[in-house]
Amino acid sequence: MWKVAMSEEVGKAVQSVLERVKQAAARRPKTLPAVPPRLVAVSKTKPPEMIVEAYRQGQRNFGENYVNELVDKASDPLILESCPEIKWHFIGHLQKNNVNKLLGVPNLFLVETIDSAKLADKVNSSWQRLRGAGSQRLKVMVQVNTSGEQNKHGLPPEDTVNTVKHIVSQCSALHFSGLMTIGRYGYDLTLGPNPDFQIEVGATNVRVGSIIFGNREYPNSALNTPNPSPLPSPAPSPEKTAKTVSEEAAKKMHHLTVSEH
């Protein structure tokens, strides 16, 4: 439950994470593109008041995993009134039957989880129909299952190039903004820090949830238990940190030679 006393903690957490991201990015090799990482505050299961408090601290990008929860929050009167420049990122698995509902969200900024050409086509046609041919293109990322885990969504790496080419050449209402991956769970930390969470390798989009907003609460669920303490790592969060290859970097990937029309 939201408590007023927590507002100060949310503010401190946002500033702390931003500083850690900045420090990690400063350690990057100079050969990588100098793209400042964007912090996406993952606000799933958290009340609008917490989002407003993070917004007051300068945070603008927020991520939600579930379409219905995002629809409710984006239309909440408190958020609409207090957060006019909010940028919503959809970061969960997107089913085709929920596309129209998602694309109607006010201030939808980026869909991070396109994982097939068919889904891209559906999002493209729906965006054109709902927003009109003259509207600004919708930013999308292609999700790649780099860890090969069966319980994760995302394209296998070998299918990524053709999917990106399809979006760039066939989906005129979409703007390809990069690749998104989610780090592996269960990494053996005796081997050192989990390399999936070292944003020094070039991440441009970093998702952080419970470190900002506190442990998530899932009512009537066995999941309503405290999360493990964050690992002592320079990365901002050991939980679902998204690593995104910027559009510029993606174009430099081996064999990725696509042109936008």
Short mmCIF file of all heavy atoms in Angstrom, two decimals, residues 73-134:
data_model
loop_
_atom_site.label_atom_id
_atom_site.label_comp_id
_atom_site.label_asym_id
_atom_site.label_seq_id
_atom_site.Cartn_x
_atom_site.Cartn_y
_atom_site.Cartn_z
N LYS A 73 -3.59 2.52 -15.88
CA LYS A 73 -2.71 3.55 -15.34
C LYS A 73 -2.60 4.75 -16.28
O LYS A 73 -2.62 5.90 -15.83
CB LYS A 73 -1.33 2.97 -15.06
CG LYS A 73 -1.29 2.04 -13.87
CD LYS A 73 0.10 1.49 -13.64
CE LYS A 73 0.12 0.58 -12.41
NZ LYS A 73 1.44 -0.06 -12.21
N ALA A 74 -2.47 4.48 -17.57
CA ALA A 74 -2.31 5.58 -18.52
C ALA A 74 -3.55 6.46 -18.59
O ALA A 74 -3.46 7.63 -18.97
CB ALA A 74 -1.99 5.01 -19.91
N SER A 75 -4.70 5.89 -18.23
CA SER A 75 -5.96 6.65 -18.25
C SER A 75 -6.35 7.17 -16.87
O SER A 75 -7.40 7.80 -16.72
CB SER A 75 -7.09 5.76 -18.79
OG SER A 75 -6.76 5.27 -20.08
N ASP A 76 -5.53 6.91 -15.86
CA ASP A 76 -5.83 7.35 -14.51
C ASP A 76 -5.83 8.89 -14.45
O ASP A 76 -4.88 9.52 -14.91
CB ASP A 76 -4.79 6.78 -13.54
CG ASP A 76 -5.15 7.09 -12.09
OD1 ASP A 76 -4.85 8.22 -11.64
OD2 ASP A 76 -5.72 6.21 -11.43
N PRO A 77 -6.86 9.50 -13.88
CA PRO A 77 -6.94 10.97 -13.84
C PRO A 77 -5.73 11.62 -13.16
O PRO A 77 -5.27 12.68 -13.59
CB PRO A 77 -8.22 11.23 -13.05
CG PRO A 77 -9.05 10.01 -13.27
CD PRO A 77 -8.08 8.87 -13.33
N LEU A 78 -5.20 10.99 -12.11
CA LEU A 78 -4.05 11.55 -11.41
C LEU A 78 -2.83 11.61 -12.32
O LEU A 78 -2.12 12.62 -12.37
CB LEU A 78 -3.74 10.73 -10.16
CG LEU A 78 -2.52 11.19 -9.35
CD1 LEU A 78 -2.72 12.60 -8.82
CD2 LEU A 78 -2.24 10.21 -8.21
N ILE A 79 -2.59 10.53 -13.07
CA ILE A 79 -1.45 10.50 -13.97
C ILE A 79 -1.65 11.44 -15.15
O ILE A 79 -0.73 12.16 -15.56
CB ILE A 79 -1.17 9.06 -14.44
CG1 ILE A 79 -0.65 8.22 -13.25
CG2 ILE A 79 -0.17 9.04 -15.60
CD1 ILE A 79 -0.36 6.79 -13.58
N LEU A 80 -2.86 11.47 -15.70
CA LEU A 80 -3.13 12.36 -16.82
C LEU A 80 -2.93 13.83 -16.43
O LEU A 80 -2.43 14.63 -17.23
CB LEU A 80 -4.56 12.14 -17.33
CG LEU A 80 -4.83 10.85 -18.10
CD1 LEU A 80 -6.31 10.70 -18.39
CD2 LEU A 80 -4.03 10.82 -19.41
N GLU A 81 -3.30 14.16 -15.20
CA GLU A 81 -3.17 15.54 -14.75
C GLU A 81 -1.74 15.88 -14.33
O GLU A 81 -1.24 16.97 -14.64
CB GLU A 81 -4.12 15.79 -13.57
CG GLU A 81 -4.03 17.21 -13.02
CD GLU A 81 -4.95 17.42 -11.83
OE1 GLU A 81 -5.73 16.50 -11.49
OE2 GLU A 81 -4.91 18.50 -11.23
N SER A 82 -1.08 14.95 -13.66
CA SER A 82 0.22 15.25 -13.06
C SER A 82 1.41 14.91 -13.94
O SER A 82 2.51 15.40 -13.69
CB SER A 82 0.37 14.48 -11.73
OG SER A 82 -0.70 14.77 -10.85
N CYS A 83 1.21 14.06 -14.95
CA CYS A 83 2.34 13.57 -15.75
C CYS A 83 2.09 13.77 -17.25
O CYS A 83 2.00 12.79 -18.01
CB CYS A 83 2.58 12.10 -15.45
SG CYS A 83 2.70 11.67 -13.71
N PRO A 84 1.97 15.01 -17.69
CA PRO A 84 1.62 15.24 -19.10
C PRO A 84 2.69 14.77 -20.09
O PRO A 84 2.37 14.50 -21.24
CB PRO A 84 1.45 16.77 -19.17
CG PRO A 84 2.28 17.28 -18.03
CD PRO A 84 2.15 16.26 -16.94
N GLU A 85 3.95 14.67 -19.65
CA GLU A 85 5.03 14.27 -20.57
C GLU A 85 5.49 12.84 -20.33
O GLU A 85 6.58 12.45 -20.77
CB GLU A 85 6.22 15.21 -20.39
CG GLU A 85 5.90 16.66 -20.74
CD GLU A 85 7.08 17.58 -20.51
OE1 GLU A 85 8.11 17.11 -19.98
OE2 GLU A 85 6.99 18.77 -20.85
N ILE A 86 4.65 12.02 -19.69
CA ILE A 86 5.03 10.64 -19.42
C ILE A 86 5.17 9.86 -20.73
O ILE A 86 4.47 10.14 -21.71
CB ILE A 86 3.99 9.97 -18.49
CG1 ILE A 86 4.57 8.70 -17.86
CG2 ILE A 86 2.69 9.68 -19.23
CD1 ILE A 86 3.73 8.14 -16.72
N LYS A 87 6.10 8.92 -20.73
CA LYS A 87 6.34 8.08 -21.91
C LYS A 87 6.19 6.63 -21.47
O LYS A 87 7.01 6.11 -20.71
CB LYS A 87 7.73 8.33 -22.48
CG LYS A 87 7.93 9.74 -22.99
CD LYS A 87 9.34 9.96 -23.51
CE LYS A 87 9.53 11.38 -24.03
NZ LYS A 87 10.92 11.61 -24.50
N TRP A 88 5.16 5.97 -21.98
CA TRP A 88 4.89 4.59 -21.59
C TRP A 88 5.61 3.61 -22.52
O TRP A 88 5.53 3.73 -23.73
CB TRP A 88 3.40 4.31 -21.62
CG TRP A 88 2.61 4.99 -20.55
CD1 TRP A 88 1.72 6.01 -20.71
CD2 TRP A 88 2.63 4.68 -19.15
NE1 TRP A 88 1.19 6.36 -19.48
CE2 TRP A 88 1.72 5.56 -18.52
CE3 TRP A 88 3.31 3.74 -18.37
CZ2 TRP A 88 1.49 5.53 -17.14
CZ3 TRP A 88 3.08 3.72 -17.00
CH2 TRP A 88 2.18 4.60 -16.40
N HIS A 89 6.28 2.64 -21.91
CA HIS A 89 6.92 1.56 -22.64
C HIS A 89 6.16 0.27 -22.33
O HIS A 89 5.96 -0.06 -21.16
CB HIS A 89 8.37 1.37 -22.18
CG HIS A 89 9.26 2.53 -22.48
ND1 HIS A 89 10.45 2.39 -23.16
CD2 HIS A 89 9.16 3.85 -22.19
CE1 HIS A 89 11.04 3.57 -23.27
NE2 HIS A 89 10.26 4.47 -22.68
N PHE A 90 5.76 -0.45 -23.36
CA PHE A 90 5.18 -1.77 -23.11
C PHE A 90 6.30 -2.79 -23.18
O PHE A 90 6.98 -2.91 -24.19
CB PHE A 90 4.09 -2.12 -24.11
CG PHE A 90 3.44 -3.44 -23.79
CD1 PHE A 90 2.60 -3.56 -22.69
CD2 PHE A 90 3.70 -4.57 -24.55
CE1 PHE A 90 2.03 -4.78 -22.36
CE2 PHE A 90 3.12 -5.79 -24.24
CZ PHE A 90 2.29 -5.90 -23.13
N ILE A 91 6.49 -3.54 -22.08
CA ILE A 91 7.66 -4.41 -21.97
C ILE A 91 7.28 -5.87 -21.78
O ILE A 91 8.15 -6.71 -21.54
CB ILE A 91 8.59 -3.95 -20.83
CG1 ILE A 91 7.88 -4.05 -19.48
CG2 ILE A 91 9.05 -2.51 -21.08
CD1 ILE A 91 8.78 -3.74 -18.30
N GLY A 92 6.00 -6.19 -21.87
CA GLY A 92 5.57 -7.58 -21.69
C GLY A 92 5.30 -8.26 -23.02
O GLY A 92 5.40 -7.66 -24.10
N HIS A 93 4.96 -9.54 -22.93
CA HIS A 93 4.63 -10.29 -24.15
C HIS A 93 3.32 -9.77 -24.71
O HIS A 93 2.32 -9.66 -24.00
CB HIS A 93 4.52 -11.78 -23.83
CG HIS A 93 4.13 -12.61 -25.00
ND1 HIS A 93 4.87 -12.64 -26.17
CD2 HIS A 93 3.08 -13.44 -25.21
CE1 HIS A 93 4.29 -13.45 -27.03
NE2 HIS A 93 3.20 -13.95 -26.47
N LEU A 94 3.31 -9.45 -25.99
CA LEU A 94 2.13 -8.87 -26.62
C LEU A 94 1.44 -9.89 -27.49
O LEU A 94 2.02 -10.41 -28.45
CB LEU A 94 2.53 -7.65 -27.46
CG LEU A 94 1.40 -6.95 -28.22
CD1 LEU A 94 0.32 -6.47 -27.27
CD2 LEU A 94 1.96 -5.79 -29.04
N GLN A 95 0.18 -10.18 -27.15
CA GLN A 95 -0.63 -11.08 -27.97
C GLN A 95 -1.40 -10.26 -29.00
O GLN A 95 -1.80 -9.13 -28.73
CB GLN A 95 -1.60 -11.87 -27.08
CG GLN A 95 -0.88 -12.79 -26.08
CD GLN A 95 -1.86 -13.51 -25.18
OE1 GLN A 95 -2.87 -12.94 -24.75
NE2 GLN A 95 -1.57 -14.76 -24.85
N LYS A 96 -1.62 -10.86 -30.16
CA LYS A 96 -2.25 -10.12 -31.26
C LYS A 96 -3.63 -9.60 -30.88
O LYS A 96 -4.03 -8.52 -31.32
CB LYS A 96 -2.34 -11.01 -32.50
CG LYS A 96 -1.00 -11.36 -33.12
CD LYS A 96 -1.18 -12.14 -34.41
CE LYS A 96 0.17 -12.54 -35.01
NZ LYS A 96 0.84 -13.57 -34.19
N ASN A 97 -4.36 -10.34 -30.04
CA ASN A 97 -5.71 -9.89 -29.70
C ASN A 97 -5.72 -8.70 -28.75
O ASN A 97 -6.77 -8.14 -28.46
CB ASN A 97 -6.52 -11.05 -29.10
CG ASN A 97 -5.92 -11.60 -27.83
OD1 ASN A 97 -4.74 -11.41 -27.56
ND2 ASN A 97 -6.72 -12.28 -27.04
N ASN A 98 -4.55 -8.31 -28.24
CA ASN A 98 -4.47 -7.15 -27.35
C ASN A 98 -3.84 -5.93 -28.02
O ASN A 98 -3.68 -4.89 -27.37
CB ASN A 98 -3.64 -7.50 -26.11
CG ASN A 98 -4.44 -8.27 -25.08
OD1 ASN A 98 -5.66 -8.10 -24.95
ND2 ASN A 98 -3.77 -9.14 -24.35
N VAL A 99 -3.50 -6.06 -29.29
CA VAL A 99 -2.79 -4.98 -29.96
C VAL A 99 -3.61 -3.70 -30.01
O VAL A 99 -3.13 -2.61 -29.66
CB VAL A 99 -2.37 -5.40 -31.39
CG1 VAL A 99 -1.93 -4.19 -32.21
CG2 VAL A 99 -1.24 -6.43 -31.32
N ASN A 100 -4.87 -3.80 -30.42
CA ASN A 100 -5.69 -2.59 -30.53
C ASN A 100 -5.87 -1.90 -29.19
O ASN A 100 -5.81 -0.67 -29.10
CB ASN A 100 -7.07 -2.95 -31.11
CG ASN A 100 -7.00 -3.30 -32.58
OD1 ASN A 100 -6.04 -2.96 -33.27
ND2 ASN A 100 -8.01 -4.01 -33.06
N LYS A 101 -6.05 -2.69 -28.14
CA LYS A 101 -6.20 -2.12 -26.80
C LYS A 101 -4.93 -1.38 -26.39
O LYS A 101 -4.98 -0.27 -25.86
CB LYS A 101 -6.52 -3.22 -25.80
CG LYS A 101 -6.79 -2.72 -24.38
CD LYS A 101 -7.04 -3.87 -23.42
CE LYS A 101 -8.30 -4.62 -23.77
NZ LYS A 101 -8.60 -5.66 -22.74
N LEU A 102 -3.77 -2.00 -26.66
CA LEU A 102 -2.50 -1.37 -26.30
C LEU A 102 -2.28 -0.08 -27.07
O LEU A 102 -1.86 0.94 -26.49
CB LEU A 102 -1.35 -2.33 -26.57
CG LEU A 102 0.06 -1.75 -26.40
CD1 LEU A 102 0.31 -1.35 -24.95
CD2 LEU A 102 1.12 -2.73 -26.88
N LEU A 103 -2.55 -0.09 -28.35
CA LEU A 103 -2.23 1.07 -29.18
C LEU A 103 -3.15 2.26 -28.90
O LEU A 103 -2.87 3.37 -29.35
CB LEU A 103 -2.29 0.70 -30.66
CG LEU A 103 -1.31 -0.38 -31.11
CD1 LEU A 103 -1.27 -0.49 -32.63
CD2 LEU A 103 0.10 -0.12 -30.57
N GLY A 104 -4.20 2.04 -28.13
CA GLY A 104 -5.06 3.15 -27.74
C GLY A 104 -4.61 3.85 -26.49
O GLY A 104 -5.22 4.83 -26.06
N VAL A 105 -3.52 3.39 -25.89
CA VAL A 105 -3.02 3.96 -24.64
C VAL A 105 -2.52 5.39 -24.86
O VAL A 105 -1.71 5.64 -25.75
CB VAL A 105 -1.87 3.08 -24.07
CG1 VAL A 105 -1.09 3.82 -23.00
CG2 VAL A 105 -2.44 1.78 -23.52
N PRO A 106 -2.97 6.35 -24.04
CA PRO A 106 -2.44 7.72 -24.15
C PRO A 106 -0.94 7.74 -23.83
O PRO A 106 -0.49 7.06 -22.90
CB PRO A 106 -3.23 8.48 -23.07
CG PRO A 106 -4.42 7.64 -22.78
CD PRO A 106 -4.01 6.22 -23.01
N ASN A 107 -0.19 8.49 -24.59
CA ASN A 107 1.25 8.66 -24.36
C ASN A 107 2.05 7.37 -24.51
O ASN A 107 3.11 7.22 -23.91
CB ASN A 107 1.52 9.27 -22.98
CG ASN A 107 0.95 10.68 -22.85
OD1 ASN A 107 1.15 11.52 -23.70
ND2 ASN A 107 0.22 10.92 -21.77
N LEU A 108 1.55 6.44 -25.33
CA LEU A 108 2.34 5.24 -25.64
C LEU A 108 3.56 5.68 -26.45
O LEU A 108 3.45 6.32 -27.48
CB LEU A 108 1.51 4.25 -26.45
CG LEU A 108 2.23 2.95 -26.84
CD1 LEU A 108 2.59 2.12 -25.61
CD2 LEU A 108 1.35 2.13 -27.79
N PHE A 109 4.74 5.31 -25.96
CA PHE A 109 5.99 5.78 -26.56
C PHE A 109 6.74 4.69 -27.31
O PHE A 109 7.30 4.95 -28.37
CB PHE A 109 6.89 6.36 -25.45
CG PHE A 109 8.23 6.85 -25.94
CD1 PHE A 109 8.32 8.01 -26.69
CD2 PHE A 109 9.39 6.14 -25.65
CE1 PHE A 109 9.56 8.47 -27.15
CE2 PHE A 109 10.63 6.59 -26.10
CZ PHE A 109 10.71 7.76 -26.85
N LEU A 110 6.76 3.48 -26.76
CA LEU A 110 7.61 2.45 -27.33
C LEU A 110 7.08 1.07 -26.96
O LEU A 110 6.78 0.80 -25.80
CB LEU A 110 9.05 2.61 -26.81
CG LEU A 110 10.11 1.61 -27.22
CD1 LEU A 110 10.31 1.60 -28.72
CD2 LEU A 110 11.44 1.95 -26.54
N VAL A 111 7.00 0.20 -27.96
CA VAL A 111 6.67 -1.21 -27.74
C VAL A 111 7.98 -1.98 -27.87
O VAL A 111 8.57 -2.05 -28.95
CB VAL A 111 5.63 -1.72 -28.75
CG1 VAL A 111 5.36 -3.21 -28.54
CG2 VAL A 111 4.33 -0.92 -28.63
N GLU A 112 8.44 -2.57 -26.76
CA GLU A 112 9.78 -3.16 -26.72
C GLU A 112 9.82 -4.64 -27.08
O GLU A 112 10.90 -5.23 -27.11
CB GLU A 112 10.40 -2.97 -25.32
CG GLU A 112 10.58 -1.52 -24.92
CD GLU A 112 11.43 -1.37 -23.66
OE1 GLU A 112 11.99 -2.38 -23.20
OE2 GLU A 112 11.54 -0.24 -23.15
N THR A 113 8.67 -5.24 -27.38
CA THR A 113 8.63 -6.69 -27.42
C THR A 113 8.07 -7.28 -28.72
O THR A 113 7.33 -8.27 -28.70
CB THR A 113 7.82 -7.22 -26.23
OG1 THR A 113 6.54 -6.54 -26.19
CG2 THR A 113 8.55 -6.96 -24.92
N ILE A 114 8.41 -6.71 -29.84
CA ILE A 114 8.02 -7.31 -31.12
C ILE A 114 8.87 -8.56 -31.34
O ILE A 114 10.10 -8.48 -31.38
CB ILE A 114 8.21 -6.32 -32.28
CG1 ILE A 114 7.36 -5.06 -32.06
CG2 ILE A 114 7.88 -6.99 -33.61
CD1 ILE A 114 5.87 -5.29 -32.04
N ASP A 115 8.22 -9.71 -31.49
CA ASP A 115 8.99 -10.95 -31.60
C ASP A 115 8.62 -11.80 -32.82
O ASP A 115 8.93 -12.99 -32.88
CB ASP A 115 8.86 -11.78 -30.32
CG ASP A 115 7.42 -12.14 -29.99
OD1 ASP A 115 6.51 -11.84 -30.81
OD2 ASP A 115 7.20 -12.74 -28.92
N SER A 116 7.97 -11.17 -33.80
CA SER A 116 7.70 -11.87 -35.06
C SER A 116 7.28 -10.86 -36.11
O SER A 116 6.80 -9.77 -35.79
CB SER A 116 6.59 -12.91 -34.88
OG SER A 116 5.32 -12.28 -34.72
N ALA A 117 7.46 -11.24 -37.36
CA ALA A 117 7.04 -10.37 -38.46
C ALA A 117 5.52 -10.23 -38.47
O ALA A 117 4.98 -9.16 -38.79
CB ALA A 117 7.54 -10.93 -39.80
N LYS A 118 4.81 -11.30 -38.11
CA LYS A 118 3.35 -11.26 -38.10
C LYS A 118 2.85 -10.27 -37.04
O LYS A 118 1.90 -9.52 -37.29
CB LYS A 118 2.78 -12.65 -37.84
CG LYS A 118 2.95 -13.61 -39.01
CD LYS A 118 2.27 -14.94 -38.73
CE LYS A 118 2.38 -15.87 -39.92
NZ LYS A 118 1.74 -17.19 -39.65
N LEU A 119 3.49 -10.26 -35.89
CA LEU A 119 3.09 -9.30 -34.85
C LEU A 119 3.40 -7.88 -35.31
O LEU A 119 2.61 -6.96 -35.10
CB LEU A 119 3.82 -9.60 -33.54
CG LEU A 119 3.50 -8.65 -32.38
CD1 LEU A 119 2.02 -8.65 -32.05
CD2 LEU A 119 4.32 -9.01 -31.15
N ALA A 120 4.55 -7.70 -35.96
CA ALA A 120 4.90 -6.38 -36.48
C ALA A 120 3.85 -5.90 -37.48
O ALA A 120 3.45 -4.73 -37.47
CB ALA A 120 6.28 -6.42 -37.13
N ASP A 121 3.40 -6.80 -38.35
CA ASP A 121 2.38 -6.44 -39.34
C ASP A 121 1.07 -6.03 -38.66
O ASP A 121 0.42 -5.06 -39.08
CB ASP A 121 2.11 -7.62 -40.28
CG ASP A 121 3.24 -7.87 -41.26
OD1 ASP A 121 4.02 -6.93 -41.52
OD2 ASP A 121 3.35 -9.00 -41.76
N LYS A 122 0.70 -6.75 -37.62
CA LYS A 122 -0.53 -6.43 -36.89
C LYS A 122 -0.42 -5.07 -36.22
O LYS A 122 -1.35 -4.25 -36.30
CB LYS A 122 -0.80 -7.52 -35.85
CG LYS A 122 -1.95 -7.23 -34.91
CD LYS A 122 -3.30 -7.19 -35.62
CE LYS A 122 -4.43 -7.02 -34.61
NZ LYS A 122 -5.76 -6.91 -35.28
N VAL A 123 0.69 -4.81 -35.55
CA VAL A 123 0.89 -3.52 -34.89
C VAL A 123 0.92 -2.40 -35.93
O VAL A 123 0.33 -1.32 -35.73
CB VAL A 123 2.20 -3.53 -34.07
CG1 VAL A 123 2.51 -2.15 -33.52
CG2 VAL A 123 2.09 -4.54 -32.93
N ASN A 124 1.56 -2.64 -37.05
CA ASN A 124 1.67 -1.64 -38.11
C ASN A 124 0.29 -1.26 -38.66
O ASN A 124 -0.06 -0.08 -38.74
CB ASN A 124 2.54 -2.20 -39.23
CG ASN A 124 2.72 -1.22 -40.38
OD1 ASN A 124 3.39 -0.21 -40.26
ND2 ASN A 124 2.11 -1.54 -41.52
N SER A 125 -0.51 -2.26 -39.01
CA SER A 125 -1.83 -1.98 -39.59
C SER A 125 -2.76 -1.35 -38.56
O SER A 125 -3.54 -0.44 -38.88
CB SER A 125 -2.44 -3.27 -40.15
OG SER A 125 -2.62 -4.23 -39.14
N SER A 126 -2.67 -1.80 -37.31
CA SER A 126 -3.54 -1.24 -36.27
C SER A 126 -3.18 0.21 -35.96
O SER A 126 -4.06 1.05 -35.75
CB SER A 126 -3.44 -2.09 -35.00
OG SER A 126 -3.95 -3.39 -35.21
N TRP A 127 -1.88 0.51 -35.93
CA TRP A 127 -1.45 1.89 -35.66
C TRP A 127 -1.93 2.82 -36.77
O TRP A 127 -2.39 3.94 -36.50
CB TRP A 127 0.08 1.94 -35.54
CG TRP A 127 0.62 3.27 -35.13
CD1 TRP A 127 1.25 4.19 -35.93
CD2 TRP A 127 0.60 3.85 -33.81
NE1 TRP A 127 1.63 5.29 -35.19
CE2 TRP A 127 1.25 5.11 -33.90
CE3 TRP A 127 0.12 3.41 -32.58
CZ2 TRP A 127 1.40 5.93 -32.78
CZ3 TRP A 127 0.28 4.24 -31.47
CH2 TRP A 127 0.91 5.49 -31.59
N GLN A 128 -1.84 2.37 -38.01
CA GLN A 128 -2.31 3.19 -39.13
C GLN A 128 -3.81 3.43 -39.03
O GLN A 128 -4.30 4.54 -39.27
CB GLN A 128 -1.99 2.49 -40.45
CG GLN A 128 -0.52 2.51 -40.82
CD GLN A 128 -0.24 1.77 -42.11
OE1 GLN A 128 -0.83 0.71 -42.38
NE2 GLN A 128 0.65 2.30 -42.93
N ARG A 129 -4.54 2.40 -38.67
CA ARG A 129 -6.00 2.52 -38.61
C ARG A 129 -6.45 3.39 -37.43
O ARG A 129 -7.35 4.22 -37.56
CB ARG A 129 -6.62 1.13 -38.49
CG ARG A 129 -8.15 1.14 -38.55
CD ARG A 129 -8.73 -0.25 -38.53
NE ARG A 129 -8.48 -0.94 -37.26
CZ ARG A 129 -7.59 -1.90 -37.09
NH1 ARG A 129 -6.84 -2.29 -38.11
NH2 ARG A 129 -7.42 -2.47 -35.91
N LEU A 130 -5.80 3.21 -36.28
CA LEU A 130 -6.21 3.92 -35.08
C LEU A 130 -5.73 5.37 -35.04
O LEU A 130 -6.43 6.25 -34.56
CB LEU A 130 -5.71 3.19 -33.83
CG LEU A 130 -6.33 1.82 -33.55
CD1 LEU A 130 -5.58 1.12 -32.43
CD2 LEU A 130 -7.80 1.95 -33.20
N ARG A 131 -4.52 5.60 -35.55
CA ARG A 131 -3.92 6.92 -35.42
C ARG A 131 -3.93 7.73 -36.71
O ARG A 131 -3.66 8.92 -36.69
CB ARG A 131 -2.47 6.78 -34.92
CG ARG A 131 -2.35 6.07 -33.57
CD ARG A 131 -3.03 6.84 -32.44
NE ARG A 131 -2.94 6.15 -31.16
CZ ARG A 131 -2.19 6.54 -30.14
NH1 ARG A 131 -1.43 7.62 -30.26
NH2 ARG A 131 -2.18 5.88 -29.01
N GLY A 132 -4.21 7.08 -37.82
CA GLY A 132 -4.25 7.80 -39.09
C GLY A 132 -2.93 7.76 -39.82
O GLY A 132 -1.85 7.63 -39.22
N ALA A 133 -2.99 7.87 -41.14
CA ALA A 133 -1.80 7.74 -41.98
C ALA A 133 -0.77 8.83 -41.71
O ALA A 133 0.43 8.62 -41.90
CB ALA A 133 -2.21 7.76 -43.46
N GLY A 134 -1.22 9.99 -41.28
CA GLY A 134 -0.29 11.10 -41.07
C GLY A 134 0.31 11.16 -39.67
O GLY A 134 1.05 12.10 -39.36
#
